[in-house]
Amino acid sequence: IISKNVLNTKENVKRIKIPILFAYAEKDKIIPTSNSKELFKAANKPKYIYEIKNADHHNIFKFVTPEYVNLIKKIIL
């Protein structure tokens, strides 16, 4: 049996002490965009959020933009 605390992402994200990026597909029908927005609010700084326009859950990588790639570079470099 897995403890509910292990899967409590909203609480667990508060334990992360490094830069974190929440990226989500604008038209995702599987994971609501509100999930990413709620986790973003709960996370410590520095934190970033990025909506991938026109993408859905299954084709998100087709819509990756230079802007998104530059944000990733900013966070990890």
Side-chain angles (χ1 to χ4, degrees), residues 25 28-30 55-62:
D28 198 325
K29 301 283 191 257
I30 295 173
D56 66 36
H57 190 82
H58 300 288
N59 70 359
I60 195 166
F61 292 106
K62 291 181 181 180

Side-chain angles (χ1 to χ4, degrees), residues 23-75:
Y24 61 92
E26 175 187 34
K27 298 178 180 181
D28 198 325
K29 301 283 191 257
I30 295 173
I31 301 174
T33 59
S34 60
N35 285 17
S36 293
K37 293 172 186 175
E38 286 179 30
L39 289 174
F40 177 76
K41 286 181 190 176
N44 295 309
K45 293 180 181 180
K47 59 185 176 178
Y48 306 86
I49 191 163
Y50 190 83
E51 179 182 70
I52 300 177
K53 301 285 185 189
N54 300 311
D56 66 36
H57 190 82
H58 300 288
N59 70 359
I60 195 166
F61 292 106
K62 291 181 181 180
F63 293 92
V64 170
T65 64
E67 178 185 39
Y68 179 57
V69 172
N70 287 333
L71 177 57
I72 293 169
K73 287 177 182 178
K74 174 183 172 183
I75 295 167

